[in-house]
Amino acid sequence: MTIYRITHHTTYQYESAASLSYNEARLLPRPLETPLYTQTALEAQVQVEPGWDDQSERHDFFGNRVLFFSIRQPHEQMAVTATSQVEILPQGEWEKPAAARLQSLAASDPPWEAAVAQLADALDADALEARPYILPSPYAPELAELHRFAQVSFQPQRPLLASALALMEQIFNEFEFVAGATDIATPLAQVLKERKGVCQDFAHLMVGALRSHGLPARYVSGYIETLPPPGEEKLVGSDASHAWCSLFVPGLGWIDFDPTNNLLPADQHVVLGWGRDFGDVTPLKGVFYGPSAQELSVSVDMRRVE
């Protein structure tokens, strides 16, 4: 069992005072149970400076916790701080690496074509809920070149999980992580062509590649624990928001894959929420009335609670 204390701080500094702002935050971790681990939010809260004038919480279509708040007073800066404490409990043979536990869970891993056919005919609640994630979405559109890229991993009659693991490794090996090389508006086709990007790009790549083969895949937003070099102290704010992919496996459930790091999330990832792509789980978005110029700063600190 691992417990994390997470502080996510976002600041908007405006050129001059904004008179009004409406905001929507997806910064509260949700409960989760997968074949590899369970996640429990022990506590979670969001604080805003200046204080909000009204706020409400709801669950969106995907079940994510969404906080709405407005500030109806002049303010030159808006600071949003989300703090949470989350428990991660590995499932099954927890002392084994996640990849080894996955192999034991999927003793009978069917060919990926068989899984696609099974999903097309399945009428159980889990399969019906997963089926919309096969469709393309704004940030993960249908691309012929993406389908061709994934065919290297999705060879005929290859087992489903083996294909997904190979695809994750293919993205990790063939793409370079370059901070600032892209932004959220960078088309996926450009990322595929230039072979560089950040975690959001690689999550969208894997989501789109899986969908191009008829498989349900969702985009996952959250955090990852970053470990310091040996002998050095962990820096406050060194962690960052992270993104990865989740594949629905008939009879097993949702399995997470992190193509940025070529690993299966198990005890170093914390999930905020999921959706079709980044647009469904943007951590903080909104509108304000005021100057056009603004400066954004974000820091995340994720520490284990001993």
Side-chain angles (χ1 to χ4, degrees):
M1 178 184 69
T2 305
I3 296 177
Y4 289 107
R5 182 77 178 177
I6 303 163
T7 303
H8 185 151
H9 189 71
T10 306
T11 302
Y12 287 92
Q13 185 70 48
Y14 306 119
E15 185 179 36
S16 59
S19 60
L20 172 68
S21 68
Y22 295 100
N23 306 275
E24 193 175 80
R26 287 170 173 80
L27 294 167
L28 299 169
R30 62 183 295 172
L32 172 65
E33 182 173 354
T34 79
L36 293 181
Y37 68 95
T38 62
Q39 172 178 298
T40 304
L42 303 177
E43 60 177 79
Q45 61 180 347
V46 175
Q47 294 180 317
V48 179
E49 292 292 339
W52 53 49
D53 289 286
D54 59 67
Q55 62 85 24
S56 61
E57 185 179 336
R58 65 180 177 87
H59 289 85
D60 66 15
F61 175 82
F62 306 99
N64 304 310
R65 297 176 65 183
V66 184
L67 177 68
F68 168 83
F69 63 92
S70 66
I71 301 174
R72 299 193 300 274
Q73 56 185 289
H75 56 287
E76 294 185 358
Q77 175 182 287
M78 182 180 73
V80 180
T81 303
T83 56
S84 56
Q85 191 158 297
V86 180
E87 178 188 84
I88 305 296
L89 180 63
Q91 296 275 68
E93 301 172 277
W94 59 269
E95 72 280 359
K96 292 184 178 181
R101 284 186 279 132
L102 181 60
Q103 288 179 353
S104 64
L105 284 171
S108 57
D109 190 6
W112 66 267
E113 299 97 331
V116 171
Q118 183 178 344
L119 279 166
D121 297 330
L123 296 176
D124 60 279
D126 290 339
L128 291 175
E129 183 181 351
R131 203 169 290 165
Y133 290 98
I134 300 174
L135 301 174
S137 58
Y139 290 102
E142 185 176 359
L143 298 172
E145 55 267 38
L146 186 55
H147 179 80
R148 287 193 296 270
F149 168 80
Q151 283 181 318
V152 175
S153 297
F154 280 81
Q155 299 171 4
Q157 296 303 305
R158 191 175 194 177
L160 172 58
L161 288 172
S163 300
L165 287 167
L167 175 62
M168 177 175 70
E169 185 173 3
Q170 184 183 355
I171 294 172
F172 177 78
N173 288 334
E174 296 188 21
F175 288 79
E176 181 183 6
F177 183 95
V178 181
T182 62
D183 57 36
I184 194 57
T186 303
L188 194 57
Q190 181 178 331
V191 176
L192 190 60
K193 179 181 179 180
E194 297 182 354
R195 289 296 201 269
K196 60 184 178 182
V198 295
C199 60
Q200 293 172 342
D201 302 309
F202 304 151
H204 284 142
L205 277 170
M206 189 162 182
V207 165
L210 291 168
R211 290 176 183 169
S212 74
H213 282 76
L215 295 161
R218 62 192 185 192
Y219 178 97
V220 184
S221 172
Y223 308 108
I224 183 172
E225 179 191 35
T226 55
L227 300 177
E232 296 184 16
E233 289 191 9
K234 186 177 185 296
L235 300 176
V236 174
S238 63
D239 296 289
S241 297
H242 194 49
W244 58 98
C245 168
S246 192
L247 166 69
F248 181 76
V249 180
L252 192 57
W254 291 95
I255 302 292
D256 290 359
F257 296 84
D258 182 352
T260 303
N261 297 288
N262 193 31
L263 58 81
L264 297 172
D267 61 355
Q268 286 184 269
H269 293 65
V270 168
V271 175
L272 279 176
W274 57 73
R276 298 167 301 166
D277 55 32
F278 174 82
D280 291 329
V281 282
T282 308
L284 183 62
K285 62 182 178 181
V287 296
F288 70 94
Y289 294 89
S292 59
Q294 60 175 309
E295 184 176 335
L296 169 67
S297 62
V298 180
S299 68
V300 175
D301 185 56
M302 180 172 171
R303 292 180 178 268
R304 295 191 182 216
V305 177
E306 298 296 335

